[in-house]
Amino acid sequence: MKNPYELRYDIYNTAKDRLMDRYYQDNSLWESFQDWKRDQEAEGSSVTATCAVKVRPQFPTHEDILEEAEKIYEFVKDNR
């Protein structure tokens, strides 16, 4: 059985992994769309389509990770 510090560390790492996965997925989608848009415009096409990711994703900060960890902790705490 894990002690409270180990559990908190596991929650922190889960939160970090979730945010990092979301960052890499969204950033890949955003970059692919920007490349496609640039290619279309270079060929003279007018692009009216928009990307599902509206703005370039920002790399998760420590504060972002702590906020996500708190959400996970609240879920675990409230749903025993």
Side-chain angles (χ1 to χ4, degrees):
M1 183 155 186
K2 294 184 179 188
N3 68 46
Y5 299 108
E6 292 170 322
L7 292 173
R8 286 177 53 118
Y9 186 70
D10 287 348
I11 290 172
Y12 179 87
N13 279 324
T14 299
K16 180 185 69 152
D17 291 345
R18 287 175 59 176
L19 291 179
M20 293 301 294
D21 288 346
R22 185 179 315 146
Y23 167 77
Y24 287 120
Q25 289 172 357
D26 288 353
N27 194 59
S28 177
L29 181 61
W30 189 86
E31 286 182 353
S32 294
F33 179 82
Q34 296 304 318
D35 290 343
W36 173 81
K37 181 180 175 186
R38 192 172 21 261
D39 291 345
Q40 296 301 307
E41 291 172 341
E43 293 175 4
S45 297
S46 177
V47 176
T48 59
T50 58
C51 183
V53 179
K54 302 297 179 199
V55 295
R56 184 175 201 152
Q58 297 297 310
F59 196 80
T61 64
H62 176 67
E63 290 76 20
D64 296 333
I65 297 169
L66 290 176
E67 185 178 316
E68 186 72 13
E70 185 65 34
K71 291 177 191 175
I72 295 169
Y73 174 76
E74 286 300 317
F75 174 79
V76 171
K77 182 178 84 170
D78 292 342
N79 292 298
R80 294 179 188 163

